Amino acid sequence: MTVPPICDYEGSRYRTEFWVPERAYEDGAERAALRALLPPTGRLLVEIGAGFGRLADLYGGYERVVLLDYARSQLQDARERLGEAGPGGRPRYTYVLGDFYRLPFAPGLFDAVVMVRTLHHAADAPAVLRNISGILAPGGVFVLEFASKRHLKAIFRYVLRRQSWSPFDPQPVEFVPLNYDFHPAWIRRHLEECGLRVTRIRTVSHFRVGFLKRTVPTGLLVFLDRLLQPTGALWQLTPSVFVRAAAPADRPPAPPGSFFRCTACGSLLLVDEGDRLICTDCGTAFPFQDGLYDFRGGER
Ligand SMILES: C[S@@+](CC[C@H](N)C(=O)[O-])C[C@H]1O[C@@H](n2cnc3c(N)ncnc32)[C@H](O)[C@@H]1O
């Protein structure tokens, strides 16, 4: 099996260099969409590609929150900022180093899965969507943000022949290595193919234009964006789209007591040895170090 390449954020200054004040509008608009789509309370939530935990303060209604990312430095940053809390100070955070192509969780586990600004790094997005569908509990909710290729700027650029690829072609476009934009209809088709039902769509970042962001107060732009977001149910012409999709209610839940799954053999029988989890079926060991479970490799 060929493993798709990974866009590794290890050591990147994503928090301080990407989330500069000039992106406060995008941050605000994305938070508004997530608030509108995510069930406010629940038992267990995972964010896949959580980075430094930018959005974690929106998960306060969940008993337990799992933040999964491939980059150790991102999760370390998240852990330093959020801590672990625990029974008294809900929610309880669990930090997992992992790969969205090999999710280390029991099938049918999560009430909610969130993925924001992450699918665009997937060379094999259908595989990622299948994996996510698999870990959703019966009736569980998946809130996905994806970068859309069919937005107004791309349409204008294409019409004026300043861009070679068509925003109307359903196939994903890799505009720089390991950065993909997707067609909304293509995403919907792949969500449905893995058994998920799209229930709501919000379009986000209607005003991602330098001039507007410099001249209009951020709060007002976010307010206007929030008003326009529900039009996503009718048409999608923004660079960012949020969808809410639901897993079937009649699928089996995760077996009682299960949580992690061995990424080497698929077993749900992992024994906690303090500084590592050991798979009792195949013997693979997954380190637990500095508060982070590490499922990216595994040693025999
Ligand atoms: C643009 S950041 C988004 C972070 C966060 N969701 C946010 O919106 O602030 C993308 C994240 O995806 C993670 N990522 C990329 N490839 C991954 C993979 N194969 N498995 C898990 N995480 C991955 C990166 O490490 C990075 O932290």
Side-chain angles (χ1 to χ4, degrees), residues 8 53-54 66 117 119 131 141 143 170 175-176 178 192 199 209 272 283:
D8 198 348
R54 172 174 68 102
V66 180
R117 287 183 176 264
L119 192 69
N131 291 342
V141 163
V143 179
F175 58 96
V176 293
L178 278 182
E192 286 171 356
T199 54
V209 178
D272 190 344

Side-chain angles (χ1 to χ4, degrees), residues 86-135:
R90 287 158 45 152
R92 183 151 60 96
Y93 291 104
T94 302
Y95 301 91
V96 179
L97 288 163
D99 178 2
F100 50 43
Y101 294 114
R102 293 178 304 143
L103 291 176
F105 304 113
L109 186 65
F110 290 99
D111 300 331
V113 178
V114 175
M115 192 184 220
V116 177
R117 287 183 176 264
T118 295
L119 192 69
H120 69 273
H121 292 316
D124 188 354
V128 178
L129 299 179
R130 274 195 304 279
N131 291 342
I132 287 175
S133 171
I135 60 169

